[in-house]
Amino acid sequence: MVDFLAHLLRHLPGRLLVIWDRSKTHRSHLVAEFVADQRGRLALDYLPAYAPELNPVEYIWGDWKHHELPNFCPHDFSQLSYHARHTLRRMRRRPMLVMAFWQQAELFPL
């Protein structure tokens, strides 16, 4: 997680807010120390304990489950990874679909 956050900070200027779930890896002491070392440039906020309707990524998974992966059975992790990346690249060409996932999540304010 620290490598991921460092990558974001290298490539995105200004202050950054990351919103994610309450996974143990997201709440680790190592992550907390890294965030503290950023002196306010990086802030973390967490979704409620179980609130998939607030997480746009859940809508992406739902779309994949019903439209991209219903009959897909990978032979190994490499094949799954390739297919997932290919699907994400295709989704980039459909910004209205991705925006719809965010709008759906906005229907459920905290």
Side-chain angles (χ1 to χ4, degrees):
M1 291 296 103
V2 169
D3 289 343
F4 170 73
L5 293 172
H7 178 82
L8 287 178
L9 290 171
R10 273 193 309 274
H11 294 282
L12 298 173
R15 295 183 65 203
L16 183 62
L17 170 63
V18 175
I19 301 172
W20 51 23
D21 62 21
R22 295 180 181 267
S23 165
K24 286 184 180 184
T25 58
H26 298 158
R27 297 178 289 120
S28 73
H29 292 291
L30 190 60
V31 169
E33 289 173 11
F34 179 80
V35 171
D37 290 343
Q38 302 312 307
R39 298 184 200 97
R41 180 160 178 241
L42 176 63
L44 302 180
D45 203 356
Y46 299 94
L47 293 169
Y50 183 75
E53 70 277 3
L54 298 176
N55 188 349
V57 171
E58 295 295 336
Y59 295 102
I60 292 174
W61 292 133
D63 183 72
W64 281 13
K65 184 168 121 178
H66 290 94
H67 301 288
E68 299 291 337
L69 301 175
N71 296 313
F72 178 65
C73 184
H75 296 289
D76 55 26
F77 179 75
S78 176
Q79 188 180 20
L80 176 62
S81 178
Y82 173 82
H83 190 73
R85 289 173 189 271
H86 182 70
T87 300
L88 282 174
R89 277 194 289 279
R90 273 201 323 266
M91 288 182 92
R92 286 184 195 168
R93 293 188 294 254
R94 300 179 64 196
M96 295 303 288
L97 176 66
V98 176
M99 286 174 45
F101 297 142
W102 283 99
Q103 290 166 351
Q104 184 68 27
E106 289 173 353
L107 294 175
F108 298 94
L110 292 175

